Amino acid sequence: VVRLEEYKKLIDVKTALRQSNLNPERPDASHLRTLDSSIKRNTAVIKKLKAINDEQKDGLMEELKSVNLSKFVSEAVSYICEAKLRSADIQAAVQICSLLHQRYKDFSPCLIQGLLKAFFPGKAGDDIDPDKNSRAMKKRSTLKLLMELYFVGIVEDASTFINIIKDLTSVEHLKDRETTQTNLTLLASFARQGKHFLGLQKHGQEAYDEFFMGLNITDDLKTFFKKSLSSYYDAAVAILMSEHASLRAMESENAKILNVKGELSDENTALYEKLRKSFDQLLRCVSSLAEALDMQPPVMPDDGHTTRVTTASELSPSGKHFSAVEPIWDDEDTKAFYESLPDLRVFVPGVLLGEAEPKLVDQHGKVHEQTGEHKLEQGTEVQNNAEASVPEHQLEGKTNVGSKNREKKDKTGKEISKEKEADQKGDIEREKVRVTDGASLDNLLQRLPRCVSRDLIDQLTVEFCYLNSKANRKKLARALFNVPRTSLELLPFYSRLVATLSTCMKDLPSMLLSMLEEEFNFLMNKKDQIKIETKIRNIRFIGELCKFNIAPSGLVFSCLKACLDDFSHHNIDVACNLLETCGRFLYLSQGTTVRMSNMLEILRRLKNVKNLDPHHSTLVENAYYLCKPPERSARVSKVRPPLHQYIRKLLFSDLDKTSVQHVLRQLRKLPWAECEEYLVKCFLKVHKGKYSQVHLIALLTAGLSHYHDDFHVAVVDEVLEEIRVGLELNDYAMQQRQLAHMRFLGELYNYEHIDSSVIFDTLYLITVFGHGTLEQDLLDPPEDFFRIRMIVTLLQTCGHYFDRGSSKRKLDRFLLHFQRYILNKGPLPLDVEFDVQISCALCWRMWNCLLLRPVY
């Protein structure tokens, strides 16, 4: 009934707007000249039309009435057309458009033309949003706005929608799947909003029928709209049935592959997910249109012989992918540790990384080839010259040749001896370098177990690059493999070192992985129940390497499958440690989600089937829920009005010693009738601010009490009530709040808002509340010393003022009572005794409480 009344009120508003728009009383030119026509003012007002919403509607309409937009109608229309309207903002936009229509004659034609560009952008395709989703949302909001403008009389001709419906129901669009889904959504929105266009009726809403009596929608138009939507619906249903048949055939084929191989290939899984997602989206769109047309949604035939294959989209919550809902890493530091690896090329020359060696070899080869060719050419030239000169100077030539040969032999002998000496020196130098490198590498490997931070392991990685050689890489791989079995905390850092070096040293990861895999197979085949620490170290190392994408996921799954095949004894510990290390990483990664989910399901079934001991049962549960936590509803943040948010910002963020006067001035400017109750509520939340700034809240209370007499009374009443509630509940979670309230009460006394009698009444209340009743052990147990903390906090805050007169005598009497209370409690803990001593420095009479305590 309430909803129907609200709907009738909306219809009344539309009726009034329609009458005003069909017969507008526009202001004359003389009146418009009296309004502000400046470019600066008009531009500022027009820009606000781009962000129309219900909250700013009234203020924007007042501004529009104060300016003359006669020369800026086209600019105003362009900003309205560019506005990104939500469904809740449509009515506000309609009222603003009605105001402009009633003031400017050329506004409506220009607006209709601008809105139609969303559906017909023109040949040049100007102002087309490249994002298809944004373009679809723009079309949807524009269609809603056009229909509402038609209802209120700004769009007078219903034939305006004919071209839009023709375009949306065009058979050519059925070839593009995204366009088809968008058009189905738009047509469903059109059918729901304008049922009268289709000749449909809303039962039980007579005001709806009466409102449409004045609209000039002919029977021909109704027939056209209904026929267009029905034909497009039938075509979409035919495509849906065809896709369902294809999907069913693919499911049957996948079921056969699963029975033969046990798993699907990535290509088949991707194809199935794509077709399944497309079918589900099309089914939702078609069903939505059927509901809007008051038709039964299509029912897909099911032969019952296909097995529905689980996909990643089904495993993710709300049908979304995991990366959009839940990140792989817990925090940014963890993400940086596993993904942000240092670039060695920045810190180390390329020659040391082995990147420049091939270039040098090629260059040396080219030099030798050029030298050989040059010598060959010289030899050919000498031979030709010799052959030409023999007939003329034969005797002289022979003599010269013999002498040259002897000289060459002498030179060759000398060069050979020099080369041998150089080789010997080079061997000696290389031996020295090898010994030096060996000593440096041993020193580096000794430092390896002490690298327990990201900076240390990155520094050691860079240092190893200066010792890079094939032999040293083998030694490093062996040292990494021989990590102590009890030093599991080193595994992430060792894995980071391997991942960093793998970018330039491809053989290092393969050497380490082969050793780890060989060790795993050896330990699994041995089947003895010893060396559990070695097994855990081995499997955790593989898991850490997997998180750095060094160990392939296939290796991890094969190790996990080997443990699940023989799920007993140490294999349970190994499988759980593997899942704790990289299970969640693989479960949330895109390519391994389905396979890990299946493995977890097998693990859960094995736990239910096998009779595990409590230790192993707890391990399996922890590993399972660490990878796949139970679904929990998202925490809904409390939505506060802007004024309340501003008050909280002033009190809990901006307030300090330097800004207290500014905060006080801002609080005085608030609308007091609306904010007084909320201010009292915020003042009582002193525990949410800094404890050292509680006195500033009391100072604000004093400042506001000068202008509002009842405010400090309300604050004091609420504080006393909160203290009593805390004593009644005696909840450990409320202790911080209670201490803050005690401090606040003392500060209120310091600022002379309460008398000393209130303080002493509160002190006595704390010591006697609940005593002598059946609930004494619950309200104030003998081992609970929190009430002593409350009294000490209050006396530390304001006790130093009770040094004369009646207050002094009241304090003396209370200290005797407090002394008795402490003695009844027994020996005080050291922290409570220290608090009492600190308070003694401010109130010396409390020494009696310690002097008269019995010695235990």
Side-chain angles (χ1 to χ4, degrees), residues 763-775:
L763 291 172
Y764 282 110
L765 177 67
I766 295 173
T767 57
V768 301
F769 184 81
H771 285 255
T773 63
L774 297 176
E775 299 179 350

Side-chain angles (χ1 to χ4, degrees), residues 476-487:
L476 177 63
R478 177 60 60 179
L480 295 173
F481 173 74
N482 291 327
V483 59
R485 63 179 184 272
T486 58
S487 301

Side-chain angles (χ1 to χ4, degrees), residues 807-824:
S807 298
K808 177 181 177 182
R809 293 189 294 272
K810 290 180 181 179
L811 180 60
D812 292 336
R813 287 194 298 269
F814 172 74
L815 290 179
L816 291 175
H817 188 76
F818 186 40
Q819 175 186 346
R820 178 189 173 189
Y821 179 80
I822 292 178
L823 293 175
N824 288 334

Side-chain angles (χ1 to χ4, degrees), residues 282 356 390 396 445 512 517 559 619 675 696 834:
L282 185 60
V390 165
E396 185 178 347
L445 296 180
L512 180 59
E517 187 175 3
C559 295
L619 279 180
C675 301
L696 298 179
F834 179 75

Side-chain angles (χ1 to χ4, degrees), residues 580-594:
E580 289 175 1
T581 307
C582 63
R584 185 160 180 79
F585 170 78
L586 294 174
Y587 181 69
L588 296 177
S589 298
Q590 183 176 2
T592 55
T593 300
V594 179

Side-chain angles (χ1 to χ4, degrees), residues 332-389:
E332 291 298 327
D333 291 340
T334 307
K335 181 179 180 181
F337 180 82
Y338 285 101
E339 294 185 354
S340 300
L341 301 178
D343 187 2
L344 296 177
R345 298 174 183 84
V346 177
F347 304 99
V348 182
V351 178
L352 299 176
L353 299 176
E355 295 181 346
E357 292 178 359
K359 297 182 180 178
L360 293 175
V361 172
D362 294 341
Q363 291 177 0
H364 287 310
K366 292 180 181 178
V367 170
H368 287 310
E369 289 177 1
Q370 293 176 358
T371 305
E373 292 176 358
H374 184 62
K375 289 183 178 180
L376 183 62
E377 291 176 358
Q378 288 182 347
T380 306
E381 291 177 359
V382 170
Q383 185 178 0
N384 293 337
N385 293 335
E387 290 176 355
S389 60

